[in-house]
């Protein structure tokens, strides 16, 4: 095929401007939300002492961490979907949830506790946490990858990993409203492990499906 | 170079606003630049430079299908060259693998007449036949026989809307076929 003919064909297709990725990602995540919420409500549900828990700042801190992760990863994902951007320039945003959790741990350490720190770290729900976060993250991850397929990432593996981080952040937000372990130490260890798992799944999937 | 970049950016903005003629001018303006860059890239990698047109076409397809990722407030050239670089690296990687596989067929390749290479219709055209019938017919009509959307619609007894859809899908499937290792 002659290149000028191909150009003519491309110009003939000029009116079908593809939709932008930002709105598509927002729509995809909104569509995944009821699926994850339904999974969450049918398997776990919110914790019974929700009202009293809300007065505990460390309960609220969990949401700050998970939502900070989700939002930072959404922003980074949208940047990485463009061919000329690099992770070096935007990746630092992902440090935000780490900073919040570090501040939380420091704050908790200064307070008197009935339970020693190791027991707070191990908690009572480690296994449930590790299984639940990836489960609730999965619909978000699938939706995010589907939307990001419209992108042109320079590095599909990194783009997929970031999609995994955003999915883990959203999945963990749901899980956090069930889990009775509020210590930032628990969050640091078990939420991070679950998040790393989802990020790895995202990286492996992204490597395949986000290539353009 | 700056004047060129500004012209490209302006054309792409016009294209996004629905100006198909500007879009065509832009693609025609970038193609020779991409050709030269691809040629250089292939030569540097020690690959046969006669493949550069295939890669140029692959880049143009990617530019077309991914143009929503261009930020209209940013200059166009860096975005374009990022895609071009990606596609060239991809193509080299793929061809590297293919060259390796072809070592077994070396004798056969040598026996073929040398003229066969220059007459090859190119990789994009080679994938045309693998497309679903309707997409293939529309693409052949528009891209090979240079028919307009309207002429193609009459010729294939389709509505213009259906021709547009088949054209767009055909271009997208071509791009995904080219991506396969």
């Amino acid at each position: 095929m002659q290149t000028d003919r191909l150009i003519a064909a491309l110009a003939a297709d000029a009116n079908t401007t593809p939709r932008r990725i930002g709105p598509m990602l927002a729509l995809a995540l909104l569509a995944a939300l009821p699926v994850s919420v339904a999974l969450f409500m049918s398997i776990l549900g919110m914790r019974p002492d929700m009202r009293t828990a809300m007065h505990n700042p460390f309960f609220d801190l969990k949401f700050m961490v998970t939502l900070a992760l989700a939002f930072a990863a959404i922003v980074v994902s949208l940047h990485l979907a463009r061919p000329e951007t690099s992770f070096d320039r935007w990746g630092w945003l992902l440090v935000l949830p780490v900073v919040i959790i570090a501040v939380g741990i420091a704050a908790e350490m200064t307070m008197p506790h009935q339970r020693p720190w190791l027991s707070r770290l191990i908690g009572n729900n480690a296994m449930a946490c590790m299984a639940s976060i990836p489960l609730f993250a999965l619909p978000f991850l699938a939706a995010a990858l589907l939307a990001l397929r419209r992108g042109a990432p320079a590095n599909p593996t990194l783009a997929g990993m970031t999609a995994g981080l955003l999915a883990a952040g959203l999945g963990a937000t749901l899980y956090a409203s069930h889990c009775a372990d509020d210590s930032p130490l628990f969050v640091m260890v078990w939420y991070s492990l679950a998040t790393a798992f989802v990020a790895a799944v995202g990286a492996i999937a992204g490597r395949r499906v986000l290539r353009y | 170079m700056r004047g060129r970049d500004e012209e490209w950016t302006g054309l792409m903005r016009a294209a996004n606003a629905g100006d198909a003629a500007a879009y065509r001018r832009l693609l025609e303006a970038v193609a020779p630049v991409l050709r030269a860059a691809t040629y250089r890239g292939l030569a540097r990698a020690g690959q046969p430079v006669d493949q550069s047109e295939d890669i140029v076409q692959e880049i143009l397809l990617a530019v077309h299908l991914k143009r929503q990722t261009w930020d209209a407030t940013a200059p166009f050239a860096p975005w374009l060259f990022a895609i071009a670089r990606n596609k060239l690296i991809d193509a080299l990687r793929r061809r590297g693998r293919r060259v390796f596989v072809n070592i077994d067929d070396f004798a056969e390749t040598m026996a073929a007449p040398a003229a066969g290479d220059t007459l090859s219709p190119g990789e994009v055209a080679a994938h045309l036949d693998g497309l679903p019938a309707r997409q293939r017919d529309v693409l052949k009509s528009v891209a090979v026989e240079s028919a307009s959307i309207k002429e193609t619609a009459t010729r294939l007894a389709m509505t213009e809307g259906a021709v547009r859809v088949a054209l767009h899908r055909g271009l997208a499937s071509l791009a995904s076929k080219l991506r396969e290792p």
Side-chain angles (χ1 to χ4, degrees):
Chain A
M1 191 189 293
Q2 303 279 326
T3 300
D4 55 343
R5 302 250 173 91
L6 176 68
I7 288 177
L10 298 180
D13 188 44
N15 289 325
T16 55
T17 312
R19 287 187 203 93
R20 299 198 70 84
I21 296 163
M24 291 312 290
L25 181 61
L27 272 180
L29 293 178
L30 272 179
L33 182 65
V35 180
S36 282
V37 169
L39 272 176
F40 171 71
M41 294 308 281
S42 62
I43 296 172
L44 295 178
M46 300 215 187
R47 59 197 261 186
D49 62 337
M50 193 71 177
R51 274 172 183 281
T52 44
M54 279 199 285
H55 296 295
N56 174 0
F58 291 110
F59 177 72
D60 301 337
L61 185 85
K62 294 195 297 187
F63 295 96
M64 283 174 64
V65 174
T66 57
L67 287 173
L69 173 65
F71 283 115
I74 285 174
V75 172
V76 177
S77 281
L78 290 176
H79 281 293
L80 291 186
R82 303 210 317 264
E84 80 280 27
T85 49
S86 74
F87 187 78
D88 301 348
R89 207 169 139 204
W90 298 101
W92 61 269
L93 276 174
L94 296 171
V95 177
L96 196 64
V98 181
V99 172
I100 298 176
I101 193 82
V103 170
I105 290 171
E108 199 204 36
M109 283 301 184
T110 62
M111 295 167 120
H113 280 281
Q114 292 142 350
R115 291 165 68 195
W117 69 271
L118 191 60
S119 134
R120 300 200 303 271
L121 184 151
I122 292 168
N124 303 313
N125 301 291
M127 287 309 125
C129 167
M130 296 265 284
S132 306
I133 290 178
L135 180 67
F136 305 142
L138 211 61
F140 292 118
L141 178 59
L145 289 174
L146 208 63
L148 292 171
R149 270 178 71 93
R150 290 164 184 277
N155 187 334
T157 308
L158 272 181
M161 182 204 83
T162 316
L165 290 176
L166 85 80
L170 295 173
T173 305
L174 282 176
Y175 176 72
S177 68
H178 166 83
C179 184
D181 282 305
D182 293 333
S183 167
L185 286 168
F186 180 89
V187 175
M188 177 192 72
V189 175
W190 305 108
Y191 281 47
S192 299
L193 279 173
T195 299
F197 175 73
V198 182
V201 172
I204 292 164
R207 193 187 160 90
R208 290 170 169 271
V209 302
L210 297 183
R211 281 185 60 218
Y212 73 97
Chain B
M1 285 296 152
R2 169 173 291 192
R4 183 195 76 181
D5 288 0
E6 276 168 11
E7 191 196 336
W8 288 357
T9 307
L11 286 172
M12 191 63 196
R13 284 208 190 108
N16 276 349
D19 184 345
Y23 187 49
R24 187 172 183 159
R25 279 218 307 287
L26 172 70
L27 295 181
E28 281 165 354
V30 302
V33 179
L34 295 177
R35 193 170 292 128
T38 311
Y39 198 92
R40 253 197 331 271
L42 282 171
R44 201 172 296 148
Q47 291 284 316
V49 289
D50 59 357
Q51 300 170 342
S52 73
E53 208 56 32
D54 285 340
I55 301 175
V56 168
Q57 295 187 359
E58 235 182 287
I59 298 170
L60 289 172
L61 262 174
V63 164
H64 179 68
L65 295 169
K66 298 298 180 184
R67 64 196 191 280
Q68 75 277 15
T69 66
W70 176 60
D71 172 6
T73 60
F76 179 72
W79 178 86
L80 171 74
F81 292 140
I83 288 190
R85 198 177 312 121
N86 182 302
K87 284 285 153 191
L88 178 64
I89 291 170
D90 230 37
L92 284 173
R93 209 174 275 156
R94 226 167 40 220
R95 279 166 179 76
R97 213 176 289 156
R98 210 170 271 172
V99 167
F100 182 70
V101 169
N102 279 349
I103 289 177
D104 291 338
D105 309 319
F106 195 62
E108 216 173 319
T109 313
M110 290 291 281
D117 276 352
T118 49
L119 291 177
S120 98
E123 218 178 339
V124 172
H127 281 296
L128 264 185
D129 289 326
L131 297 183
R134 184 155 271 214
Q135 295 175 15
R136 183 196 60 212
D137 293 345
V138 166
L139 257 178
K140 276 195 169 157
S141 173
V142 175
V144 183
E145 291 144 28
S146 314
S148 68
I149 298 271
K150 205 171 200 169
E151 287 159 359
T152 305
T154 323
R155 189 187 294 176
L156 299 175
M158 295 164 71
T159 64
E160 285 185 36
V163 169
R164 284 181 200 285
V165 170
L167 175 65
H168 184 73
R169 292 205 180 135
L171 292 170
S173 2
L174 262 187
S176 73
K177 281 194 182 298
L178 286 168
R179 219 169 23 231
E180 284 162 13

